[in-house]
Amino acid sequence: MRRIAGIERGPTEYRVAIARTGLGRPRVEQLVCVPADDPSGLAALTRGITAVRLALPLHAVAHRILQVPFRRAAQIEATVPLELLSQLPSEPADGIVATRTLAREAAGSTVLAAVARRATLAAWSEPVQRAVGVPIEVDLGGPAIWAALSSPLDAGAIVVADGSASYVSIRRAGRLVGLRAIDVAPEPIDRFVTVVVDTLRALASERGPVLLTGADASATITDRLSTALGRPVAMLSTVAAALPAGSAEQIDRCAGALGLLLANRTMRLTFPQ
């Protein structure tokens, strides 16, 4: 068995989920936050780790969910990056594109694609690489958060309240159908709730539960969202995967790292090295 870590960087901290892998789902051992300005703390926490998955925030990329008339992987890999870049106002000079096929139908495929600047990926990953000293995979934050749940949801929405890195992720018919950054912080709450409600309605998220999580998630936001939507809203921590004793208070703060840690390859969007 080996130990792996999922890491998400917040404004002032690294949120870290550590698990031991073997047969079946990884067994979560720790959920911990360490100061971002103290690399030694991250190094000590991840000693003995053999691999790291690092979340890149949704705000740091341009992304689209695209419909393409292809089913073969080679055709998708050849055409989707070009299609994504053609939809952007300007093409990043040093852009790196990652893709993940979400569904295949008779008429073609649905693909999640994202582009990040090479400099952005380096700025995000190099401090972590220096601290942990093991191979790092950089993933888009958002798609994998669904893996933090104790059991899969066929449909629903997860609202992540996390300062300027807040976002909404939506599933329908068992797959990701919507992923959108929220351009306002959770404070003031009324403005945040209004933007989230408008986003959910724009993305036609009308089925399944609505779950709130993130470092800034609170019972107050949950109640306000529920009232504005006219449907129940719960904290993700109430339906999260089984965790070690004493870590319950960290679930919502570390949900992004936890989902990335537990996600299988089909739920992740990993940027090429």
Side-chain angles (χ1 to χ4, degrees):
M1 297 179 71
R2 65 192 189 113
R3 297 173 74 232
I4 63 173
I7 299 178
E8 179 181 63
R9 179 168 182 165
T12 61
E13 65 190 2
Y14 285 111
R15 302 150 189 170
V16 185
I18 296 174
R20 193 173 295 275
T21 63
L23 296 176
R25 202 178 199 199
R27 180 166 57 85
V28 181
E29 295 182 333
Q30 288 180 282
L31 291 180
V32 183
C33 296
V34 295
D37 60 359
D38 180 16
S40 63
L42 184 61
L45 179 64
T46 55
R47 189 171 294 118
I49 295 295
T50 58
V52 168
R53 300 172 182 177
L54 176 65
L56 184 70
L58 197 59
H59 290 70
V61 309
H63 75 282
R64 299 287 189 276
I65 294 179
L66 303 170
Q67 306 290 330
V68 295
F70 310 111
R71 291 172 53 87
R72 292 177 52 216
Q75 289 177 299
I76 291 171
E77 290 174 7
T79 59
V80 165
L82 298 176
E83 178 65 21
L84 170 64
L85 295 175
S86 73
Q87 295 190 16
L88 303 181
S90 61
E91 180 178 335
D94 60 347
I96 296 179
V97 177
T99 64
R100 171 61 58 195
T101 299
L102 302 175
R104 286 186 172 89
E105 297 95 10
S109 303
T110 303
V111 182
L112 172 63
V115 58
R117 295 183 64 241
R118 187 180 301 274
T120 299
L121 290 167
W124 210 253
S125 63
E126 286 177 359
V128 176
Q129 179 72 70
R130 287 194 297 267
V132 302
V134 298
I136 289 180
E137 291 182 311
V138 181
D139 280 41
L140 179 63
I145 196 164
W146 293 91
L149 306 183
S150 58
S151 57
L153 282 180
D154 186 63
I158 295 178
V159 178
V160 178
D162 189 13
S164 61
S166 301
Y167 65 89
V168 170
S169 183
I170 295 172
R171 279 172 67 92
R172 192 159 52 243
R175 63 180 175 87
L176 185 74
V177 297
L179 190 62
R180 187 171 295 181
I182 300 298
D183 60 1
V184 297
E187 292 287 347
I189 290 176
D190 288 345
R191 175 61 176 155
F192 180 76
V193 167
T194 297
V195 173
V196 169
V197 169
D198 289 346
T199 301
L200 292 176
R201 289 174 176 165
L203 296 175
S205 175
E206 300 168 352
R207 296 182 179 178
V210 177
L211 301 173
L212 177 70
T213 193
D216 297 320
S218 67
T220 302
I221 298 178
T222 299
D223 292 342
R224 297 278 187 87
L225 269 178
S226 181
T227 299
L229 289 168
R231 57 196 282 203
V233 177
M235 296 288 283
L236 183 144
S237 52
T238 63
V239 292
L243 298 170
S247 60
E249 69 281 359
Q250 296 281 21
I251 295 175
D252 287 303
R253 193 169 199 88
C254 298
L258 176 63
L260 194 56
L261 180 72
L262 296 178
N264 59 37
R265 180 61 65 180
T266 64
M267 298 180 72
R268 298 170 55 200
L269 184 71
T270 305
F271 286 90
Q273 299 290 323

